[in-house]
């Protein structure tokens, strides 16, 4: 490997280290209490080095959000269009839970931690989020065409479904299910999703 290739690899590895460390500190300390200096100290580099990769903390958070939404979209966009719309809706709930289970740190950064809105690139990050949400609204509209959710706004139905699944995931990730310690939490969440699907089919 030549010098140029090695330096490029080292740059990519350092960028990954910065992102991973920032994600950990954002979750442990909160976004507001984490500084670029904190991140630099954690990886034993100078703050100047961090600024070679990210102009400020907002841009760093944006990069984490973008990567999270990219992963998220790969999950929700992988549902077979050969399934009936209602079955697609059920599958969407399953893959949402799977993403949260596979990537709890990303999920918390994307949907639970209050994120900064000052970054000029925030709109780009949310474009991936809107594409992911668009999968839900498209499926809901298809369900409506097949006679489900009569006289209901597709936006209201989509928001209700998202709110339910997000709430269940958030309770688990934020360790707010202690009152159910006599039950398997994954079992409880999955069976609750099945019950919601049952109610949706009746409408």
């Amino acid at each position: 490997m030549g010098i140029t290739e090695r330096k490029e690899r080292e740059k990519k590895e350092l960028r990954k280290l910065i992102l991973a460390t920032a994600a950990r500190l954002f979750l442990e300390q909160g976004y507001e209490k984490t500084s670029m200096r904190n991140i630099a100290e954690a990886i034993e580099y100078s703050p100047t080095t961090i600024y070679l990769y990210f102009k400020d903390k907002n841009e760093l958070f944006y990069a984490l959000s973008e990567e999270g939404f990219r992963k998220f979209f790969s999950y929700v966009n992988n549902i077979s269009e050969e399934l009936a719309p209602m079955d697609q809706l059920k599958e969407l709930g399953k893959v949402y839970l799977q993403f949260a289970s596979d990537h709890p740190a990303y999920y918390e950064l994307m949907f639970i931690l209050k994120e900064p809105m000052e970054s000029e690139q925030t709109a780009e990050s949310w474009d991936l989020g809107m594409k992911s949400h668009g999968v839900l609204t498209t499926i809901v509209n298809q369900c409506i065409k097949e006679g489900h959710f009569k006289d209901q706004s597709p936006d209201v139905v989509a928001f209700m479904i998202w709110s339910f699944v997000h709430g269940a995931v958030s309770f688990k990730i934020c360790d707010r299910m202690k009152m159910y310690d006599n039950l398997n939490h994954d079992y409880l969440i999955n069976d609750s999703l099945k019950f919601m699907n049952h109610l949706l089919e009746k409408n």
Side-chain angles (χ1 to χ4, degrees), residues 103-148:
H103 306 286
Y106 272 120
Y107 190 91
E108 188 169 353
L109 285 167
M110 294 158 58
F111 295 117
I112 298 176
L113 189 68
K114 185 178 180 180
E115 72 172 89
M117 301 302 291
E118 294 84 1
S119 173
E120 296 175 359
Q121 296 167 305
T122 297
E124 291 181 50
S125 177
W126 275 108
D127 182 56
L128 287 166
M130 290 301 295
K131 285 174 65 177
S132 300
H133 189 265
V135 174
L136 170 59
T137 54
T138 296
I139 295 174
V140 167
N141 275 298
Q142 290 172 348
C143 288
I144 290 174
K145 288 180 180 179
E146 290 204 341
H148 296 284

Coordinates of all heavy atoms in Angstrom, one line a residue, residues 103-148:
H103 N -29.9 -1.3 16.0 CA -29.2 0.0 16.1 C -29.8 0.9 17.2 O -30.2 2.0 16.9 CB -29.2 0.6 14.8 CG -28.6 -0.2 13.7 ND1 -27.3 -0.5 13.5 CD2 -29.3 -0.8 12.6 CE1 -27.1 -1.3 12.4 NE2 -28.3 -1.5 11.9
P104 N -29.8 0.5 18.4 CA -30.5 1.3 19.5 C -29.8 2.7 19.6 O -30.5 3.7 19.9 CB -30.4 0.5 20.7 CG -29.2 -0.5 20.5 CD -29.3 -0.8 19.0
A105 N -28.5 2.8 19.5 CA -27.8 4.1 19.6 C -28.2 5.0 18.5 O -28.5 6.2 18.8 CB -26.3 3.9 19.7
Y106 N -28.3 4.5 17.3 CA -28.7 5.4 16.2 C -30.2 5.8 16.4 O -30.5 6.9 16.2 CB -28.6 4.6 14.8 CG -27.2 4.8 14.2 CD1 -26.5 3.6 13.9 CD2 -26.8 6.0 13.8 CE1 -25.2 3.8 13.3 CE2 -25.5 6.1 13.2 CZ -24.8 5.0 12.9 OH -23.5 5.1 12.3
Y107 N -31.0 4.8 16.8 CA -32.4 5.2 17.0 C -32.6 6.3 18.1 O -33.3 7.2 17.8 CB -33.2 3.9 17.5 CG -34.7 4.2 17.5 CD1 -35.4 3.9 16.3 CD2 -35.3 4.8 18.5 CE1 -36.8 4.1 16.3 CE2 -36.7 5.0 18.5 CZ -37.4 4.7 17.4 OH -38.8 5.0 17.3
E108 N -31.8 6.2 19.1 CA -31.9 7.2 20.2 C -31.5 8.6 19.6 O -32.1 9.6 19.9 CB -31.1 6.8 21.4 CG -31.3 7.8 22.6 CD -30.7 7.2 23.9 OE1 -30.3 6.1 23.9 OE2 -30.8 8.0 24.9
L109 N -30.4 8.6 18.9 CA -29.9 9.8 18.3 C -30.9 10.4 17.3 O -31.1 11.7 17.2 CB -28.6 9.6 17.6 CG -27.3 9.4 18.5 CD1 -26.2 8.9 17.6 CD2 -26.9 10.7 19.1
M110 N -31.5 9.6 16.5 CA -32.4 10.0 15.4 C -33.8 10.5 15.9 O -34.4 11.4 15.4 CB -32.6 8.9 14.4 CG -31.4 8.5 13.6 SD -31.5 6.9 12.9 CE -33.0 6.9 11.9
F111 N -34.3 9.7 16.9 CA -35.7 9.9 17.3 C -36.0 10.3 18.7 O -37.2 10.7 19.0 CB -36.5 8.6 17.0 CG -36.6 8.3 15.5 CD1 -36.0 7.1 15.1 CD2 -37.2 9.1 14.6 CE1 -36.1 6.8 13.7 CE2 -37.3 8.8 13.3 CZ -36.7 7.6 12.8
I112 N -35.0 10.2 19.6 CA -35.3 10.5 21.0 C -34.5 11.7 21.5 O -35.1 12.6 22.1 CB -34.9 9.3 21.9 CG1 -35.8 8.1 21.5 CG2 -35.1 9.6 23.4 CD1 -35.5 6.8 22.2
L113 N -33.2 11.7 21.2 CA -32.4 12.9 21.7 C -32.8 14.1 20.9 O -33.0 14.1 19.7 CB -30.9 12.5 21.4 CG -29.9 13.5 21.9 CD1 -29.8 13.4 23.5 CD2 -28.5 13.2 21.4
K114 N -33.0 15.2 21.6 CA -33.4 16.5 21.0 C -32.2 16.9 20.1 O -31.1 17.2 20.6 CB -33.7 17.5 22.0 CG -34.2 18.8 21.4 CD -34.6 19.8 22.5 CE -35.1 21.1 21.9 NZ -35.5 22.1 22.9
E115 N -32.4 17.0 18.8 CA -31.3 17.3 17.9 C -31.3 18.8 17.6 O -32.3 19.5 17.6 CB -31.4 16.5 16.7 CG -32.5 16.9 15.7 CD -32.4 16.2 14.4 OE1 -32.9 15.1 14.2 OE2 -31.7 16.7 13.5
P116 N -30.1 19.3 17.2 CA -30.0 20.7 16.9 C -30.6 21.0 15.5 O -30.6 20.1 14.6 CB -28.5 21.0 16.8 CG -27.9 19.6 16.5 CD -28.8 18.6 17.2
M117 N -31.2 22.1 15.2 CA -31.8 22.4 14.0 C -31.0 23.6 13.2 O -31.5 24.0 12.2 CB -33.2 22.8 14.2 CG -34.1 21.8 14.8 SD -34.1 20.2 13.9 CE -35.1 20.7 12.5
E118 N -29.9 24.0 13.8 CA -29.2 25.1 13.2 C -28.3 24.7 12.0 O -27.9 25.6 11.2 CB -28.2 25.7 14.2 CG -29.0 26.4 15.4 CD -29.3 25.4 16.5 OE1 -29.0 24.2 16.3 OE2 -30.0 25.8 17.5
S119 N -28.0 23.4 11.8 CA -27.1 23.0 10.7 C -27.7 23.3 9.4 O -28.9 23.1 9.1 CB -26.8 21.5 10.8 OG -26.1 21.1 9.7
E120 N -27.0 23.9 8.5 CA -27.4 24.2 7.1 C -27.8 22.9 6.4 O -28.6 22.9 5.4 CB -26.3 24.9 6.3 CG -26.0 26.3 6.9 CD -24.8 26.9 6.2 OE1 -24.3 26.3 5.2 OE2 -24.4 28.0 6.5
Q121 N -27.3 21.8 6.8 CA -27.6 20.5 6.1 C -28.7 19.7 6.7 O -29.0 18.6 6.3 CB -26.3 19.7 6.1 CG -25.1 20.4 5.4 CD -23.8 19.7 5.6 OE1 -23.4 19.5 6.8 NE2 -23.1 19.2 4.6
T122 N -29.4 20.3 7.7 CA -30.4 19.5 8.4 C -31.5 19.1 7.4 O -32.0 18.0 7.5 CB -31.1 20.4 9.5 OG1 -30.1 20.7 10.5 CG2 -32.2 19.7 10.2
A123 N -31.8 20.0 6.5 CA -32.9 19.6 5.5 C -32.5 18.4 4.7 O -33.3 17.5 4.4 CB -33.1 20.8 4.5
E124 N -31.2 18.2 4.4 CA -30.7 17.0 3.6 C -30.9 15.8 4.5 O -31.3 14.7 4.0 CB -29.3 17.2 3.2 CG -29.0 18.3 2.2 CD -27.5 18.3 1.8 OE1 -27.0 17.3 1.5 OE2 -27.0 19.4 1.8
S125 N -30.6 15.9 5.7 CA -30.7 14.8 6.6 C -32.1 14.3 6.7 O -32.5 13.1 6.6 CB -30.2 15.1 8.0 OG -30.3 14.0 8.9
W126 N -33.0 15.3 6.9 CA -34.5 15.0 7.0 C -35.0 14.5 5.7 O -36.1 13.8 5.7 CB -35.2 16.2 7.5 CG -35.2 16.2 9.0 CD1 -34.5 17.1 9.8 CD2 -35.8 15.3 9.9 NE1 -34.7 16.8 11.1 CE2 -35.5 15.7 11.2 CE3 -36.7 14.2 9.7 CZ2 -36.0 15.1 12.3 CZ3 -37.1 13.5 10.8 CH2 -36.8 14.0 12.1
D127 N -34.4 14.7 4.6 CA -34.9 14.2 3.3 C -34.9 12.6 3.3 O -35.8 12.0 2.9 CB -34.0 14.6 2.1 CG -34.5 14.1 0.8 OD1 -35.6 14.4 0.4 OD2 -33.7 13.4 0.1
L128 N -33.9 12.1 3.9 CA -33.8 10.6 4.1 C -34.9 10.2 5.1 O -35.6 9.1 4.9 CB -32.5 10.2 4.6 CG -31.3 10.2 3.6 CD1 -30.0 10.1 4.4 CD2 -31.4 9.1 2.6
G129 N -35.2 11.0 6.1 CA -36.2 10.6 7.1 C -37.6 10.7 6.4 O -38.5 9.9 6.6
M130 N -37.8 11.7 5.5 CA -39.1 11.9 4.8 C -39.3 10.8 3.8 O -40.4 10.3 3.7 CB -39.1 13.2 4.1 CG -39.2 14.4 5.1 SD -40.6 14.4 6.2 CE -42.0 14.5 4.9
K131 N -38.2 10.3 3.2 CA -38.3 9.2 2.3 C -38.8 7.9 3.0 O -39.6 7.1 2.6 CB -37.0 8.9 1.6 CG -36.7 9.9 0.5 CD -35.3 9.7 -0.1 CE -35.2 8.4 -0.8 NZ -33.8 8.2 -1.4
S132 N -38.2 7.7 4.2 CA -38.6 6.6 5.1 C -40.0 6.7 5.5 O -40.8 5.7 5.4 CB -37.7 6.5 6.3 OG -36.3 6.4 5.9
H133 N -40.4 7.9 5.9 CA -41.8 8.1 6.3 C -42.8 7.9 5.1 O -43.9 7.5 5.3 CB -42.0 9.5 6.9 CG -43.4 9.7 7.6 ND1 -44.4 10.3 6.9 CD2 -43.8 9.3 8.8 CE1 -45.5 10.3 7.7 NE2 -45.1 9.8 8.9
G134 N -42.3 8.3 3.9 CA -43.0 8.2 2.7 C -43.4 6.7 2.4 O -44.5 6.4 1.8
V135 N -42.6 5.8 2.8 CA -42.9 4.3 2.7 C -44.2 4.0 3.5 O -45.1 3.4 3.0 CB -41.8 3.4 3.1 CG1 -42.2 2.0 3.1 CG2 -40.5 3.7 2.3
L136 N -44.3 4.5 4.7 CA -45.4 4.3 5.5 C -46.7 5.0 4.9 O -47.7 4.3 4.8 CB -45.2 4.9 6.9 CG -46.4 5.0 7.9 CD1 -47.0 3.6 8.1 CD2 -46.0 5.6 9.2
T137 N -46.6 6.2 4.5 CA -47.8 6.9 4.0 C -48.2 6.3 2.7 O -49.4 6.2 2.4 CB -47.5 8.4 3.8 OG1 -46.3 8.6 2.9 CG2 -47.3 9.1 5.1
T138 N -47.3 5.8 1.9 CA -47.7 5.1 0.6 C -48.5 3.8 0.9 O -49.5 3.6 0.3 CB -46.4 4.8 -0.2 OG1 -45.8 6.0 -0.6 CG2 -46.8 4.0 -1.5
I139 N -48.0 3.1 1.8 CA -48.7 1.8 2.2 C -50.0 2.1 2.8 O -51.0 1.4 2.5 CB -47.8 1.0 3.2 CG1 -46.5 0.5 2.5 CG2 -48.6 -0.2 3.7 CD1 -45.6 -0.2 3.4
V140 N -50.1 3.1 3.6 CA -51.4 3.5 4.2 C -52.4 3.9 3.1 O -53.6 3.5 3.2 CB -51.2 4.6 5.2 CG1 -52.6 5.3 5.6 CG2 -50.5 4.1 6.5
N141 N -52.0 4.7 2.2 CA -52.8 5.1 1.1 C -53.3 3.9 0.3 O -54.5 3.8 -0.2 CB -52.1 6.1 0.2 CG -52.2 7.5 0.6 OD1 -53.3 8.1 0.7 ND2 -51.1 8.1 1.0
Q142 N -52.4 2.9 0.1 CA -52.8 1.7 -0.6 C -53.9 0.9 0.2 O -54.8 0.3 -0.4 CB -51.6 0.8 -0.9 CG -50.6 1.4 -1.9 CD -49.3 0.6 -2.0 OE1 -49.0 -0.2 -1.1 NE2 -48.5 0.9 -3.0
C143 N -53.7 0.9 1.5 CA -54.7 0.2 2.3 C -56.1 0.9 2.2 O -57.1 0.3 2.2 CB -54.3 0.2 3.8 SG -52.9 -0.9 4.2
I144 N -56.1 2.3 2.2 CA -57.3 3.0 2.1 C -58.0 2.7 0.7 O -59.2 2.6 0.7 CB -57.0 4.5 2.2 CG1 -56.6 4.9 3.6 CG2 -58.2 5.4 1.7 CD1 -56.2 6.3 3.8
K145 N -57.2 2.6 -0.3 CA -57.8 2.2 -1.6 C -58.5 0.9 -1.6 O -59.4 0.6 -2.4 CB -56.7 2.3 -2.7 CG -56.2 3.7 -3.1 CD -55.2 3.6 -4.1 CE -54.7 5.0 -4.5 NZ -53.6 5.0 -5.5
E146 N -58.0 0.0 -0.7 CA -58.6 -1.3 -0.6 C -59.7 -1.4 0.4 O -60.3 -2.5 0.7 CB -57.5 -2.4 -0.2 CG -56.5 -2.6 -1.3 CD -55.8 -4.0 -1.1 OE1 -55.8 -4.5 0.0 OE2 -55.2 -4.5 -2.1
G147 N -60.1 -0.2 0.9 CA -61.3 -0.2 1.8 C -61.0 -0.1 3.3 O -62.0 -0.1 4.0
H148 N -59.8 0.0 3.7 CA -59.5 0.1 5.1 C -59.5 1.6 5.5 O -59.4 2.5 4.7 CB -58.1 -0.5 5.4 CG -58.0 -2.0 5.1 ND1 -58.5 -2.9 6.0 CD2 -57.4 -2.7 4.1 CE1 -58.3 -4.1 5.5 NE2 -57.6 -4.0 4.4

